[in-house]
Amino acid sequence: MYNEDEYLQLSGLQHFIFCRRRWALIHIEQLWSENHLTVDGDIFHERAHDSEFVESRGDTVITRGVYLRSSRLGVSGQCDVLEFRRSDDGIPLSGRDGRWLPYPIEYKRGKPREDTGDAHQLCGQAMCLEEMLCCKIPAGALYYGETKWRVEVEFTDELRAEVESALKEMHELFERGYTPKVKPKKGCHSCSMKELCLPKLMKVKSAREYISETLSESLEEV
């Protein structure tokens, strides 16, 4: 169990899955840089974080900006949209008859991609809710602004294990204050942190590599 002063931001889980160095620059070194993608994302999330919003649609109750926490995982954050769907497997809701099953929904500005960590962040939200509400949440959804479509995510044992493993590593790195080295990839080009991360520097050879290659070439010429 973690104390509240040890909690990490749950939103950082997505950064960590996508790029460990990006996460460390933001959450350990406290660096941040905006680009048009991050600004669009902030605007896209504004309405989703209206915590005073509650709406009923038949057998579904919709809330927004719900605060989340988990002392077991050591994280806290917000759920963009949390639906409660009438179900015998659900939990009681104050002032409402029957039982209601939580269904978290995370808003993303772009389109579905496998390397973003979106599913891990959503699963982390569900795991927090399960601890808070003492229930089992089998699935949730990612809503993508570019496609205007929901993609359902099943919270499998494998996905849950990956979330726990990533959060454990995040806590270890945060405690050490260690920022991982950059591993350049395609996503670096559109990353808002690229001017602070400087991924291109990894393509420059070290002095030792340069000297070694130069000596090898000289010996071959002799």
Side-chain angles (χ1 to χ4, degrees):
M1 295 292 180
Y2 292 90
N3 297 319
E4 286 192 21
D5 59 356
E6 298 175 306
Y7 284 5
L8 299 177
Q9 293 182 31
L10 180 57
S11 59
L13 179 59
Q14 179 197 15
H15 294 150
F16 187 81
I17 296 295
F18 178 69
C19 174
R20 282 161 168 73
R21 181 172 173 83
R22 174 183 170 87
W23 168 81
L25 289 172
I26 296 172
H27 296 272
I28 296 179
E29 300 191 21
Q30 300 293 301
L31 299 176
W32 179 246
S33 180
E34 296 275 15
N35 66 10
H36 71 284
L37 297 178
T38 60
V39 172
D40 284 351
D42 290 342
I43 294 172
F44 187 66
H45 277 83
E46 280 184 3
R47 187 184 175 195
H49 285 174
D50 181 4
S51 59
E52 296 183 359
F53 178 92
V54 178
E55 180 182 359
S56 295
R57 297 180 184 175
D59 289 335
T60 302
V61 177
I62 305 168
T63 61
R64 293 177 176 165
V66 177
Y67 174 75
L68 307 171
R69 60 167 178 77
S70 168
S71 58
R72 185 177 70 85
L73 299 174
V75 291
S76 63
Q78 272 189 313
C79 179
D80 286 344
V81 175
L82 179 58
E83 294 182 352
F84 289 92
R85 300 178 172 184
R86 191 182 295 276
S87 170
D88 293 337
D89 297 324
I91 60 173
L93 281 185
S94 177
R96 298 182 184 275
D97 296 330
R99 302 180 74 85
W100 304 80
L101 186 65
Y103 188 86
I105 302 169
E106 178 69 9
Y107 277 40
K108 299 297 178 184
R109 64 164 298 281
K111 58 184 177 181
R113 285 174 49 188
E114 293 183 359
D115 63 341
T116 59
D118 292 348
H120 294 79
Q121 182 183 358
L122 184 68
C123 184
Q125 293 177 1
M127 293 167 74
C128 289
L129 287 165
E130 288 175 338
E131 182 177 322
M132 294 168 62
L133 302 176
C134 299
C135 65
K136 184 72 172 180
I137 302 175
L142 295 163
Y143 176 83
Y144 290 95
E146 190 169 324
T147 60
K148 294 181 172 56
W149 197 257
R150 285 187 181 183
V151 176
E152 184 162 272
V153 177
E154 182 183 356
F155 303 135
T156 63
D157 291 340
E158 180 182 5
L159 182 58
R160 290 170 182 270
E162 290 175 359
V163 168
E164 292 203 30
S165 177
L167 289 174
K168 180 180 179 182
E169 187 177 351
M170 287 165 63
H171 277 284
E172 291 172 351
L173 292 175
F174 192 87
E175 186 176 351
R176 290 169 54 197
Y178 177 73
T179 299
K181 293 182 179 180
V182 65
K183 294 183 178 179
K185 57 183 179 180
K186 185 178 179 181
C188 292
H189 178 70
S190 59
C191 178
S192 66
M193 301 293 290
K194 66 180 179 180
E195 298 303 325
L196 298 172
C197 176
L198 302 176
K200 290 183 179 180
L201 290 184
M202 288 300 293
K203 296 181 180 180
V204 179
K205 296 175 182 177
S206 67
R208 178 175 296 180
E209 289 175 322
Y210 176 78
I211 293 172
S212 177
E213 286 190 12
T214 302
L215 286 175
S216 297
E217 290 173 359
S218 298
L219 291 173
E220 289 176 359
E221 293 175 356
V222 174

